[in-house]
Amino acid sequence: MTQTRQRVEAWLGEFESALRDRDVERAAGLFDVDSFWRDLVAFSWNITTVEGRDGVTDLLKARLDDVDPAGFALTEEPAEADGVTEAWISFETGVGRGIGHLRLRGDRAWTLLTTLRELKGFEERRPQGVEHQLSKGRRTWKELREAEQRELGYERQPYVVVIGGGQAGIALGARLRQLGVPALVLDRHERPGDQWRKRYKSLCLHDPVWYDHLPYLPFPTNWPVFAPKDKIGDWLEMYTRVMEVPYWASTEVRSARFDAAEHRWSVTVEHDGEPVELRPTHLVFATGMSGKPNYPSLPGQDVFRGEQHHSSQHPGPEAYEGKRVVVVGSNNSAFDICGALWEHDADVTMVQRSSTHIVKSASLMEIGLGSLYSERAVANGITTDRADMIFASLPYRIMHEFQIPLYQRMAERDADFYARLEKAGFAHDWGDDGSGLFMKYLRRGSGYYIDVGAADLVADGRIKLAHGQVDHLTEDAVVLADGTTLPADLVVYATGYGSMNGWVADIVDRETADRVGKVWGLGSDTTKDPGPWEGEQRNMWKPTRQENLWFHGGNLHQSRHYSLYLALQLKARYEGLPTPVYHLQEVHHTG
Amino acid sequence: MTQTRQRVEAWLGEFESALRDRDVERAAGLFDVDSFWRDLVAFSWNITTVEGRDGVTDLLKARLDDVDPAGFALTEEPAEADGVTEAWISFETGVGRGIGHLRLRGDRAWTLLTTLRELKGFEERRPQGVEHQLSKGRRTWKELREAEQRELGYERQPYVVVIGGGQAGIALGARLRQLGVPALVLDRHERPGDQWRKRYKSLCLHDPVWYDHLPYLPFPTNWPVFAPKDKIGDWLEMYTRVMEVPYWASTEVRSARFDAAEHRWSVTVEHDGEPVELRPTHLVFATGMSGKPNYPSLPGQDVFRGEQHHSSQHPGPEAYEGKRVVVVGSNNSAFDICGALWEHDADVTMVQRSSTHIVKSASLMEIGLGSLYSERAVANGITTDRADMIFASLPYRIMHEFQIPLYQRMAERDADFYARLEKAGFAHDWGDDGSGLFMKYLRRGSGYYIDVGAADLVADGRIKLAHGQVDHLTEDAVVLADGTTLPADLVVYATGYGSMNGWVADIVDRETADRVGKVWGLGSDTTKDPGPWEGEQRNMWKPTRQENLWFHGGNLHQSRHYSLYLALQLKARYEGLPTPVYHLQEVHHTG
């Protein structure tokens, strides 16, 4: 046995022994002063990060007896590099089994990640498919499915209703089905995948395929690295069908009310034009991390004779050949839309109001994601789940420290590109602390562009650039604060989105939306992510301040990975297991 | 380095050296007297097994210079058991790269398998998906797909037409697309998957999921072990779409003529009711290993007042409650149909004309397939491709020797079941030489039932059993040779299928069908598989005696695995690579 393995096994042994003895002080003492324990459900019935010995102490005092953990063991040979020992572990609790990750510095834990993977007695199993025993009146799979589809939402109520049938709702729906939790996913579009099909035609995924897999059924080995929107649309449609996700398309959600006495929702929907009342116990908003569109209110919008719309309503470039288009905004949507318009010979001006962080897709893929989500990573044995777990093991508090060097490398690699961008007058940033794209995404969900070609058009002036806030519109122009007048036939407001709880305000009520508070963000005290420090994403994948109301979403990696933990929390409630939540999040911002 | 490894590396070194020196005698001397070399395309541009030193000599004399093999190497640590050393190898040829498997007894080769895996310069690559460079008039994926679908078969002819869009045609279509060979898959049904949807309602796959994966996109981890027909139908429909298999549904093939001067086919089809002429270079029949139904011609069929149909036309049991049904035949279709009818309260009699081999599905799965295609196998690191290669490495000539002990175990495990079956008067066999189901399948494609419950109904008399040939029908009964009279409202002829070249007779002409000869079978001189010994499946996945005419199919494992080798042979021709065929098969039977 190697020294490294000995050290880890010694730590695990002492940790388990302290836990068994209920000796919280001893257990906390095994952590470094500067340390983090991140728990996904297993210990906390929450998505939780505690810091330092005090944090560990508080978590264990609250949860140790109840969780009754045991069986901490290495699952493979640990590794050591730069004074840090990394180990993959498994463990069990009174009600479940989990896996985790440990980083030791010397003999003390620096980071610990524990995640619940299954509930005892409710493990996911591959179904047999058919009984190999004939009996009168035995129903076929097709008959059972048809009966289910007829009854669900009518004679039989789903335990969970998921509002939003994009990739997040679909992934959660698949997990819930596999866990045997009756659920129903609702979407306003006619077909799964339409959320992608109906977007502007040049849209593709900006994350590479290894990052994007859905649960259970990864993209095939010949799937393109960057999938075009229609191909993703087809995949989602197919996935929904073959994974038997219970799905109501063409369904608008009109309202939802929580019955606090019955601990149950009443959700009024229009399904294929018919009003239906659903009575689920739990309601999940999977409406997209982008909440309601921010449509700025500006003087002169009523006199402007041209077209105006928010980027989310942009139909694509086809109708605008030869037209003058002013796009307000300089982040992802703005670049995508400007680029497509340029390709179709529109006269395009981008109005930049604040700085944007840009990184080239190839550089992000290579340097930012390459060690975890790439052909290279796969060849190195990094499975999708392993990559997700490595990512999850990095505490948000210190994640920026890991990111900064990567973005320094990207700055060097693409120095020429950034120089040209700057020369064109584009205001570029690297995030408040140089930590780049992913931190910007985690902190504020905006303020960046993954460059897939449009930035060069700005750098060399083929897309014109103007600067400043919009002051007002005239009949045929956009006028900026400094008086710059931009004649326009079309104005596109690529002005972002509100917090997801905007949908709660619309569907439930303002009071509930405020009670739940702002969704997303870490409280890092950086631009558009005001403190105090939350420790985890606000409101995502965990209990909220509204009983039985949840949010699911994020990017494809998060939708995939966190769908497991959200599904397990719902399964536990469905089976009547006690789920005492450690430190239900506080609300510091309403939206 | 272990002794085992040394031995294998010594053998490989001498083999490569002999080949490099073009010393055929030395190379052949490295094989045991009793030995087999099976080559899938790499050396022979054929599906070939040669036997003994003479066989090796003949193959090398004909092909060595041209193939120019090199780089024989171990790809992992070899294993030794019971005096046999097993090794996985890789190698290359002038035009390609391959992998293979070697069994040594002592220092001599007992079995060698070489398979072509890719052609140099034409390797399969994951596409990028989208260019990260904007340009005027750039077309989206959707636009390119729509253009392709409009033009293929009209302005642009496919290089390959595949007749038959079930799982075999679809798998081949996916491989060809990935290799960049323009192809078109035709099927008469309205939707991919209908070949399954339209069968009788209780139909499920009898092979377990690990055996059934299609190329590139395996079934997800929660797919049932035995998939119901409608679920498979959905999968095939979605696979066809997301894998971008070029597919014409609702297409009947009326005729095909080969233009020997142009080396090209003219295929007349009706596509959505419109006549279209396709001009592919290659024509592949993937119409199903079951050829045209054998509909027996019997006196009195014209006077019988009830219903009669072949099992392939059986609509299912719903309309026959309380009716008297006579099912002629006692193999897979007969049992499936009898079982379903019994479940729907029909009065069922099975007429057994010859013995049937029955094995319980669970026993087959556990004992027959378990080491290769099972949860257990997956846990042991046996990937689907590895399992396919292990299977392929067993020479047909001696395969029965490996199978016989497995079926002895099954006989023991299910002794009680077989005793009850016999007591009921059922004529049961284990294949001519006790080698069981898979050999029966390979030799004659019939004569067995994978029991999924219906055999118990026969064993305990709930399905009645009669014996003998049918002599004639009366107005309301089936009369057997011994005079037994079976009153009937419905007669189902579960009387099997002809050889696949029956379709060639229909679509091309009788002369071509005879020139090509019987499809399937090994020439083992066992029941329904007359000699002489062919060495490989007649006409499957390899050049036939009709230029540019091919057959694809088999079970799901074969459709998956051999689609690769057939696609590579077609790709090589598409790219104009020379493909001199070693020992084009001779034809010994016409059908």
Side-chain angles (χ1 to χ4, degrees):
Chain A
M1 192 189 301
T2 63
Q3 255 199 353
T4 303
R5 194 184 178 106
Q6 268 181 324
R7 184 170 340 110
V8 177
E9 290 200 337
W11 191 95
L12 288 174
E14 288 182 47
F15 188 56
E16 175 153 351
S17 154
L19 296 177
R20 191 175 46 243
D21 295 345
R22 302 294 189 253
D23 190 338
V24 172
E25 195 180 335
R26 183 150 61 98
L30 291 168
F31 285 75
D32 230 332
V33 167
D34 207 11
S35 59
F36 306 85
W37 180 353
R38 186 176 196 219
D39 176 71
L40 308 182
V41 185
F43 277 73
S44 60
W45 286 111
N46 204 344
I47 307 285
T48 304
T49 300
V50 296
E51 298 187 12
R53 290 176 186 155
D54 287 352
V56 172
T57 298
D58 192 81
L59 173 63
L60 288 175
K61 278 193 163 148
R63 301 293 304 132
L64 182 50
D65 250 345
D66 190 49
V67 172
D68 194 24
F72 284 85
L74 275 169
T75 57
E76 50 194 80
E77 206 57 33
E80 175 149 1
D82 304 322
V84 177
T85 305
E86 282 197 57
W88 292 98
I89 66 176
S90 64
F91 64 94
E92 51 182 281
T93 69
V95 303
R97 295 181 198 91
I99 61 175
H101 181 266
L102 174 66
R103 286 187 184 85
L104 297 180
R105 277 193 296 214
D107 292 312
R108 292 282 177 273
W110 176 29
T111 72
L112 173 64
L113 168 70
T114 49
T115 79
L116 182 71
R117 282 303 169 118
E118 58 184 14
L119 292 164
K120 291 176 178 172
F122 304 108
E123 297 86 351
E124 294 184 39
R125 290 270 177 266
R126 186 195 290 282
Q128 181 73 357
V130 69
E131 299 163 48
H132 282 171
Q133 185 167 334
L134 277 59
S135 53
K136 304 269 185 187
R138 186 174 60 145
R139 291 202 287 179
T140 63
W141 173 85
K142 183 172 178 231
E143 289 165 334
L144 289 166
R145 283 287 284 147
E146 285 170 349
E148 175 192 345
Q149 282 161 329
R150 263 193 325 267
E151 297 166 7
L152 190 64
Y154 301 99
E155 289 105 309
R156 290 178 47 244
Q157 287 302 315
Y159 184 73
V160 181
V161 160
V162 181
I163 302 179
Q167 57 268 18
I170 287 170
L172 182 61
R175 297 271 195 196
L176 290 171
R177 185 168 192 75
Q178 181 63 4
L179 282 167
V181 178
L184 186 55
V185 178
L186 311 176
D187 195 271
R188 67 164 57 116
H189 294 97
E190 279 173 42
R191 293 160 64 194
D194 275 354
Q195 312 86 355
W196 288 91
R197 290 191 190 93
K198 300 199 169 189
R199 300 303 302 288
Y200 47 88
K201 73 174 193 170
S202 59
L203 179 64
C204 303
L205 287 188
H206 292 174
D207 288 318
V209 60
W210 309 275
Y211 199 69
D212 304 330
H213 295 306
L214 273 79
Y216 305 117
L217 181 57
F219 294 109
T221 49
N222 59 351
W223 197 256
V225 177
F226 298 102
K229 69 173 177 83
D230 294 282
K231 215 163 154 60
I232 288 292
D234 284 349
W235 180 265
L236 291 174
E237 184 171 24
M238 178 214 83
Y239 182 96
T240 300
R241 184 168 195 140
V242 299
M243 298 298 293
E244 301 184 18
V245 178
Y247 195 102
W248 278 7
S250 302
T251 301
E252 290 270 0
V253 178
R254 294 283 171 232
S255 66
R257 295 281 169 270
F258 188 66
D259 184 331
E262 291 208 3
H263 302 280
R264 210 173 164 187
W265 292 89
S266 176
V267 185
T268 307
V269 310
E270 232 173 77
H271 174 47
D272 277 328
E274 296 285 320
V276 183
E277 200 200 0
L278 299 170
R279 307 287 332 276
T281 304
H282 293 274
L283 190 61
V284 181
F285 280 76
T287 46
M289 222 216 68
S290 307
K292 299 181 61 182
N294 285 340
Y295 197 104
S297 185
L298 297 161
Q301 277 174 331
D302 50 330
V303 305
F304 180 69
R305 280 184 304 199
E307 236 185 291
Q308 314 175 61
H309 50 242
H310 185 267
S311 54
S312 60
Q313 300 306 311
H314 183 64
E318 289 90 332
Y320 306 107
E321 181 177 333
K323 297 286 199 277
R324 299 156 306 174
V325 183
V326 170
V327 178
V328 180
S330 54
N331 294 327
N332 224 73
S333 296
F335 270 97
D336 269 358
I337 287 171
C338 284
L341 285 164
W342 176 83
E343 283 189 307
H344 277 258
D345 284 315
D347 172 317
V348 188
T349 304
M350 175 186 284
V351 177
Q352 180 170 36
R353 304 171 304 161
S354 55
S355 69
T356 296
H357 167 56
I358 299 182
V359 63
K360 282 188 160 301
S361 173
S363 303
L364 181 67
M365 196 170 83
E366 181 57 33
I367 299 172
L369 293 174
S371 61
L372 292 185
Y373 298 99
S374 64
E375 209 78 90
R376 167 164 52 102
V378 169
N380 285 340
I382 310 280
T383 60
T384 306
D385 191 53
R386 176 53 57 93
D388 290 349
M389 288 289 284
I390 293 171
F391 219 106
S393 75
L394 281 170
Y396 287 125
R397 179 79 88 169
I398 55 172
M399 195 182 281
H400 61 287
E401 297 173 17
F402 290 81
Q403 298 285 307
I404 289 167
L406 301 178
Y407 287 86
Q408 285 169 342
R409 282 169 58 194
M410 291 185 224
E412 279 167 41
R413 169 191 273 224
D414 298 315
D416 172 73
F417 164 72
Y418 291 110
R420 286 189 294 115
L421 208 55
E422 233 166 286
K423 196 147 171 273
F426 192 85
H428 180 261
D429 71 68
W430 289 93
D432 282 29
D433 51 8
S435 58
L437 192 131
F438 200 68
M439 292 315 300
K440 262 196 144 174
Y441 168 69
L442 291 173
R443 289 166 173 170
R444 52 174 282 193
S446 65
Y448 56 82
Y449 168 49
I450 303 179
D451 178 39
V452 291
D456 272 295
L457 302 175
V458 168
D460 62 21
R462 284 175 287 175
I463 290 173
K464 292 174 285 190
L465 196 54
H467 291 274
Q469 295 294 334
V470 175
D471 185 77
H472 65 278
L473 275 69
T474 65
E475 283 181 343
D476 50 23
V478 174
V479 183
L480 305 183
D482 66 357
T484 304
T485 301
L486 307 166
D489 303 297
L490 164 68
V491 180
V492 182
Y493 299 104
T495 43
Y497 300 83
S499 162
M500 267 173 92
N501 64 332
W503 298 117
V504 178
D506 275 8
I507 288 173
V508 190
D509 52 35
R510 184 75 247 170
E511 187 195 334
T512 305
D514 286 348
R515 185 179 323 123
V516 163
K518 180 181 159 81
V519 179
W520 204 260
L522 299 172
S524 62
D525 236 345
T526 58
T527 305
K528 295 205 176 175
D529 186 32
W533 179 248
E534 312 276 4
E536 289 285 343
Q537 288 293 347
R538 297 183 188 95
N539 278 313
M540 293 303 299
W541 320 300
K542 60 184 182 179
T544 69
R545 285 275 161 182
Q546 168 56 51
E547 184 184 347
N548 291 1
L549 188 143
W550 311 74
F551 293 88
H552 185 53
N555 60 29
L556 278 150
H557 141 226
Q558 293 162 320
S559 294
R560 165 186 65 253
H561 191 203
Y562 291 90
S563 63
L564 171 62
Y565 308 116
L566 178 48
L568 285 168
Q569 293 173 78
L570 292 166
K571 173 65 169 180
R573 286 157 175 78
Y574 179 66
E575 296 298 341
L577 302 180
T579 57
V581 175
Y582 172 75
H583 283 195
L584 181 66
Q585 62 189 320
E586 290 171 22
V587 173
H588 304 118
H589 307 278
T590 54
Chain B
M1 195 193 300
T2 63
Q3 257 201 349
T4 303
R5 194 183 178 107
Q6 271 181 319
R7 185 170 338 112
V8 176
E9 291 199 338
W11 191 96
L12 289 174
E14 287 181 48
F15 188 56
E16 176 153 351
S17 153
L19 296 178
R20 190 175 47 242
D21 296 346
R22 303 294 189 255
D23 189 340
V24 171
E25 194 179 335
R26 185 151 57 98
L30 290 166
F31 285 74
D32 230 334
V33 167
D34 206 11
S35 59
F36 307 85
W37 180 353
R38 187 176 195 220
D39 176 73
L40 307 182
V41 184
F43 276 73
S44 60
W45 286 112
N46 203 345
I47 307 284
T48 304
T49 300
V50 297
E51 299 187 10
R53 291 174 185 156
D54 287 351
V56 170
T57 298
D58 191 82
L59 172 62
L60 289 175
K61 275 192 168 151
R63 302 291 306 132
L64 181 51
D65 250 343
D66 191 48
V67 171
D68 193 24
F72 284 85
L74 274 170
T75 57
E76 52 193 78
E77 203 60 30
E80 176 149 357
D82 305 321
V84 176
T85 306
E86 285 198 53
W88 293 99
I89 64 175
S90 63
F91 63 94
E92 51 182 281
T93 69
V95 303
R97 296 182 196 88
I99 61 176
H101 181 265
L102 174 68
R103 285 188 185 85
L104 296 181
R105 278 192 296 213
D107 293 311
R108 292 282 177 273
W110 176 30
T111 72
L112 173 65
L113 169 70
T114 49
T115 78
L116 182 71
R117 284 301 169 119
E118 59 184 14
L119 294 164
K120 291 175 179 173
F122 304 107
E123 297 85 351
E124 294 184 39
R125 291 266 178 267
R126 187 194 290 278
Q128 181 74 354
V130 69
E131 299 164 50
H132 284 169
Q133 186 167 334
L134 277 57
S135 51
K136 304 270 185 184
R138 185 173 62 144
R139 289 200 291 179
T140 64
W141 173 85
K142 184 172 176 228
E143 289 165 333
L144 289 167
R145 283 285 285 148
E146 285 169 347
E148 174 192 344
Q149 281 161 327
R150 262 195 323 270
E151 296 167 5
L152 190 63
Y154 301 98
E155 291 103 308
R156 291 178 46 243
Q157 287 302 315
Y159 184 72
V160 180
V161 158
V162 182
I163 301 179
Q167 57 269 17
I170 287 169
L172 182 62
R175 297 270 197 197
L176 290 171
R177 186 171 189 75
Q178 181 64 4
L179 282 168
V181 178
L184 185 56
V185 178
L186 311 175
D187 196 88
R188 67 164 58 114
H189 294 97
E190 280 172 44
R191 292 158 65 192
D194 276 355
Q195 311 86 356
W196 287 91
R197 292 192 189 91
K198 302 201 168 187
R199 300 302 303 287
Y200 49 87
K201 73 173 193 171
S202 60
L203 180 64
C204 301
L205 287 190
H206 292 173
D207 287 318
V209 61
W210 308 277
Y211 199 69
D212 305 329
H213 296 305
L214 274 81
Y216 305 118
L217 181 57
F219 295 108
T221 49
N222 60 351
W223 197 256
V225 177
F226 297 101
K229 70 175 176 78
D230 295 283
K231 214 162 153 63
I232 288 291
D234 284 349
W235 180 265
L236 290 173
E237 183 171 25
M238 295 312 171
Y239 182 95
T240 300
R241 186 169 191 139
V242 298
M243 298 298 293
E244 301 182 20
V245 177
Y247 194 102
W248 278 8
S250 302
T251 301
E252 291 269 0
V253 177
R254 296 282 171 232
S255 67
R257 296 279 171 269
F258 188 66
D259 185 332
E262 290 207 3
H263 302 280
R264 210 174 164 187
W265 292 88
S266 174
V267 186
T268 306
V269 309
E270 232 175 75
H271 174 46
D272 277 327
E274 297 284 321
V276 183
E277 198 200 3
L278 299 170
R279 307 284 336 275
T281 304
H282 293 273
L283 189 60
V284 181
F285 281 76
T287 46
M289 224 214 70
S290 305
K292 299 182 60 183
N294 284 339
Y295 197 104
S297 183
L298 295 162
Q301 279 173 330
D302 50 330
V303 304
F304 180 68
R305 281 183 303 197
E307 236 185 292
Q308 315 175 61
H309 49 241
H310 185 268
S311 55
S312 60
Q313 300 307 310
H314 183 65
E318 290 89 333
Y320 305 108
E321 181 178 332
K323 297 286 198 283
R324 300 158 304 176
V325 183
V326 172
V327 176
V328 180
S330 56
N331 295 327
N332 224 70
S333 296
F335 271 96
D336 270 356
I337 285 171
C338 285
L341 284 164
W342 175 84
E343 283 189 307
H344 278 257
D345 283 316
D347 174 314
V348 188
T349 303
M350 176 186 284
V351 178
Q352 181 171 36
R353 304 171 305 160
S354 56
S355 70
T356 296
H357 168 54
I358 299 181
V359 62
K360 282 188 161 299
S361 173
S363 303
L364 182 67
M365 196 169 86
E366 181 58 31
I367 298 172
L369 292 174
S371 59
L372 292 185
Y373 299 99
S374 65
E375 208 79 270
R376 166 163 55 100
V378 169
N380 286 339
I382 309 279
T383 59
T384 306
D385 190 53
R386 175 54 55 94
D388 290 348
M389 288 291 282
I390 292 172
F391 220 105
S393 76
L394 282 169
Y396 286 126
R397 179 77 90 169
I398 57 173
M399 195 182 280
H400 61 286
E401 297 173 15
F402 290 82
Q403 298 286 306
I404 290 167
L406 301 177
Y407 287 86
Q408 285 169 344
R409 282 169 56 193
M410 291 185 225
E412 279 168 39
R413 169 191 272 226
D414 298 315
D416 173 72
F417 163 73
Y418 291 110
R420 288 189 294 116
L421 209 54
E422 234 166 286
K423 197 149 170 267
F426 192 85
H428 180 263
D429 71 67
W430 290 92
D432 281 31
D433 51 10
S435 58
L437 191 134
F438 201 68
M439 293 315 300
K440 262 195 144 174
Y441 168 70
L442 290 173
R443 289 165 173 170
R444 48 175 283 191
S446 65
Y448 57 81
Y449 169 49
I450 302 178
D451 178 39
V452 291
D456 272 295
L457 301 175
V458 169
D460 63 19
R462 283 175 288 176
I463 290 173
K464 292 174 287 190
L465 197 53
H467 292 275
Q469 295 295 335
V470 175
D471 185 77
H472 65 278
L473 275 67
T474 66
E475 283 180 343
D476 51 23
V478 174
V479 183
L480 305 184
D482 68 356
T484 304
T485 301
L486 306 166
D489 304 297
L490 164 66
V491 180
V492 181
Y493 300 103
T495 44
Y497 299 82
S499 163
M500 268 171 89
N501 66 329
W503 299 117
V504 176
D506 276 6
I507 289 172
V508 189
D509 53 36
R510 183 77 249 169
E511 187 195 333
T512 306
D514 287 349
R515 185 180 323 122
V516 161
K518 180 179 158 81
V519 179
W520 204 260
L522 298 172
S524 61
D525 238 344
T526 58
T527 305
K528 296 205 174 176
D529 185 34
W533 180 248
E534 310 278 3
E536 289 286 342
Q537 289 293 346
R538 295 184 189 94
N539 277 314
M540 293 302 299
W541 321 297
K542 60 184 181 177
T544 69
R545 285 275 162 182
Q546 168 56 52
E547 184 184 347
N548 293 2
L549 187 144
W550 310 74
F551 294 89
H552 185 52
N555 60 30
L556 278 150
H557 141 226
Q558 293 163 319
S559 294
R560 163 185 68 251
H561 192 203
Y562 291 90
S563 63
L564 171 60
Y565 307 116
L566 177 47
L568 284 169
Q569 292 172 79
L570 292 165
K571 174 65 170 179
R573 286 156 175 79
Y574 179 67
E575 297 296 341
L577 302 180
T579 57
V581 175
Y582 173 76
H583 282 195
L584 181 65
Q585 63 190 320
E586 289 171 21
V587 172
H588 304 118
H589 307 279
T590 53

